[in-house]
Amino acid sequence: MDPKAIPKFLAAQRDAAPDDFQAVFLELEDYWKRSLWHQLTDSLLQYYSNPQSRPQRIAIYQQFILTFAEKINQLKLVTLGLTASAEYEDGHERLAFLKALTAKVNKPASQDAFVYATVAVASVKLQLQDVEGARKELDEAERILDRFDSVETVVHASFYRINADYYDHKLEFASYYRNALLFLACIDLSDLTPQESQSRAYDLSVAALASDSIYNFGELLLHPILDSLKNTQHAWLRELLFAFNRGDLVAFNGLAGNISKNKLLEQHEKFLRQKICLSALTETIFRRPPHDRTMTFTTISEETKVGPKEIEHLIMKALSLGLIRGTIDQVDKLAKISWVQPKVLDMQQIANMRLRLKEWDSTVNKLGNWIEGVGQDVWAA
């Protein structure tokens, strides 16, 4: 747009804006005339954040912001562009808009803004079912991010969020779980609506349970996002995670009726039963003191409710997954366990550990008293 036409354009936009925002356009024009780009950008961001600006966002971006786009912070330019792009109802129009924005900020000095815009392109491609195209965009963004020493948190948050969406689409549970948690680490949870928090907690819980490589839910169990499921129709899912963590077969069986509420979990129900048996095995080993971790197959069968013929396979599975370390004596049907994977403890598990520590303390005291008793002559000498 011809700079001479900008005052007339802003006047027209002012007339079209709600009465409460008339002064905003006078302020925008003033900042523009005095070349106060920082103040102008912040004023635009504030206006764009108001839902009442929606009908004017695209026009202001195309007719006004692009005339001085080179002079403002490029990351903020992308933020304004992303907000404007959301007003396109047609996905292909939104994609074309974002591609133009991405090309505009693809400069050596604004690679953070380029990544931010590229991730937005990947998001739209994912919505349009161009899954491979989305992956290419995300891979390019990741290569650039890996070269940064530091970058604005909003850029990382955007990348992890869309990367998680991609893996959710592909049903790659472990990758979704990891990226979703990284996304949450980059944001303030108070920025999420209660519905968004519940949705994220629900998806994370399902991914943790359905994944064949996640057997330690500690990071999720300790995350405040999980509390958003309390007192909701999905509260059972939170309880199920804690049941898995403590290897509680009784609690699992009590909650198993809810599994059919989620199609993915229902499809993995047989696997979930194998997974809870593995958890029961590790919990059984964990409750035993280190010197008493040689267990018969019969004992393991009683604790895990697994048939005698399947015990060896269960132990081998736990060994192959790195949940335990040890050896199997097939002749005497013994499992000699030397190590079990650490995990987050609930209050009951902590209470059990306290009892074990008290027993250890008592044993040490008895040993000390015995040594003192049999070695009196030595101590006297």
Side-chain angles (χ1 to χ4, degrees):
M1 174 182 283
D2 185 349
K4 294 179 181 179
I6 287 179
K8 185 176 180 180
F9 170 77
L10 290 176
Q13 293 298 313
R14 183 177 67 244
D15 293 340
D19 293 340
D20 294 344
F21 295 100
Q22 298 288 316
V24 172
F25 286 89
L26 294 174
E27 184 180 67
L28 293 176
E29 185 174 355
D30 177 56
Y31 288 149
W32 174 76
K33 286 181 177 178
R34 293 194 290 157
S35 300
L36 298 175
W37 308 121
H38 176 73
Q39 292 86 340
L40 177 58
T41 305
D42 287 348
S43 185
L44 282 164
L45 285 169
Q46 186 174 1
Y47 181 58
Y48 267 45
S49 67
N50 193 299
Q52 290 182 287
S53 69
R54 292 185 60 182
Q56 297 174 290
R57 288 173 182 172
I58 294 175
I60 291 174
Y61 179 85
Q62 292 180 330
Q63 303 296 320
F64 181 50
I65 295 174
L66 285 180
T67 63
F68 54 85
E70 316 285 338
K71 301 173 183 178
I72 66 175
N73 180 289
Q74 298 296 279
L75 198 56
K76 291 182 178 180
L77 171 65
V78 173
T79 301
L80 289 166
L82 296 186
T83 308
S85 72
E87 301 312 310
Y88 285 103
E89 294 184 2
D90 182 79
H92 294 284
E93 289 183 359
R94 190 182 312 126
L95 182 61
F97 178 95
L98 290 174
K99 282 184 175 180
L101 174 60
T102 303
K104 194 168 194 63
V105 295
N106 188 10
K107 305 168 188 173
S110 58
Q111 287 295 283
D112 55 345
F114 175 69
V115 168
Y116 196 21
T118 298
V119 169
V121 169
S123 178
V124 176
K125 286 187 174 182
L126 203 55
Q127 294 167 15
L128 294 173
Q129 302 302 311
D130 181 7
V131 180
E132 294 307 313
R135 184 68 262 164
K136 288 179 181 178
E137 301 290 348
L138 288 167
D139 286 343
E140 182 176 9
E142 187 171 23
R143 282 193 295 271
I144 298 172
L145 278 174
D146 287 343
R147 297 202 298 265
F148 286 142
D149 292 326
S150 64
V151 68
E152 290 287 339
T153 306
V154 66
V155 179
H156 266 132
S158 177
F159 172 77
Y160 290 131
R161 178 173 61 85
I162 305 305
N163 214 26
D165 289 346
Y166 169 83
Y167 287 119
D168 185 40
H169 182 88
K170 297 285 286 184
L171 298 181
E172 295 183 20
F173 305 117
S175 295
Y176 167 80
Y177 181 83
R178 182 175 63 256
N179 279 275
L181 284 175
L182 286 169
F183 163 66
L184 293 175
C186 293
I187 66 169
D188 186 339
L189 288 183
S190 62
D191 292 337
L192 298 177
T193 65
Q195 292 74 22
E196 288 172 333
S197 294
Q198 289 176 26
S199 176
R200 185 65 70 179
Y202 182 88
D203 291 342
L204 273 166
S205 300
V206 171
L209 291 168
S211 172
D212 60 2
S213 60
I214 300 174
Y215 288 84
N216 190 332
F217 311 140
E219 194 171 359
L220 178 57
L221 296 178
L222 293 173
H223 203 291
I225 193 75
L226 199 59
D227 291 337
S228 65
L229 295 180
K230 285 182 176 179
N231 303 316
T232 70
Q233 61 179 329
H234 305 307
W236 63 271
L237 198 52
R238 180 179 180 276
E239 295 172 15
L240 189 60
L241 280 172
F242 279 98
F244 265 87
N245 186 62
R246 60 179 183 269
D248 191 337
L249 289 163
V250 174
F252 172 81
N253 289 327
L255 293 164
N258 293 291
I259 289 176
S260 60
K261 294 178 181 178
N262 180 277
K263 289 184 178 180
L264 274 175
L265 293 183
E266 188 175 27
Q267 292 168 6
H268 289 78
E269 186 168 3
K270 183 178 179 181
F271 166 73
L272 289 175
R273 292 190 177 278
Q274 295 172 346
K275 197 168 184 175
I276 190 65
C277 290
L278 283 167
S279 184
L281 172 63
T282 58
E283 179 64 19
T284 298
I285 297 167
F286 180 79
R287 287 199 305 264
R288 290 170 169 259
H291 64 270
D292 186 27
R293 288 181 174 171
T294 297
M295 304 168 64
T296 65
F297 284 11
T298 302
T299 300
I300 295 174
S301 178
E302 291 171 353
E303 293 286 347
T304 62
K305 310 305 179 190
V306 172
K309 294 181 179 180
E310 299 173 359
I311 289 299
E312 189 173 340
H313 179 267
L314 180 71
I315 299 169
M316 291 177 66
K317 183 71 173 177
L319 288 167
S320 67
L321 289 169
L323 302 178
I324 60 174
R325 294 175 192 159
T327 57
I328 299 175
D329 186 335
Q330 294 174 314
V331 177
D332 294 330
K333 297 189 180 301
L334 293 173
K336 300 176 182 179
I337 310 302
S338 58
W339 177 88
V340 61
Q341 186 184 74
K343 60 182 176 181
V344 171
L345 306 180
D346 61 20
M347 295 307 295
Q348 183 58 49
Q349 290 169 309
I350 292 173
N352 291 337
M353 178 172 280
R354 178 175 175 272
L355 289 174
R356 282 170 48 192
L357 286 171
K358 289 178 69 175
E359 290 173 2
W360 174 81
D361 181 60
S362 177
T363 302
V364 171
N365 283 332
K366 288 178 181 177
L367 178 61
N369 292 333
W370 178 80
I371 292 174
E372 185 177 358
V374 300
Q376 288 179 353
D377 295 340
V378 177
W379 309 138

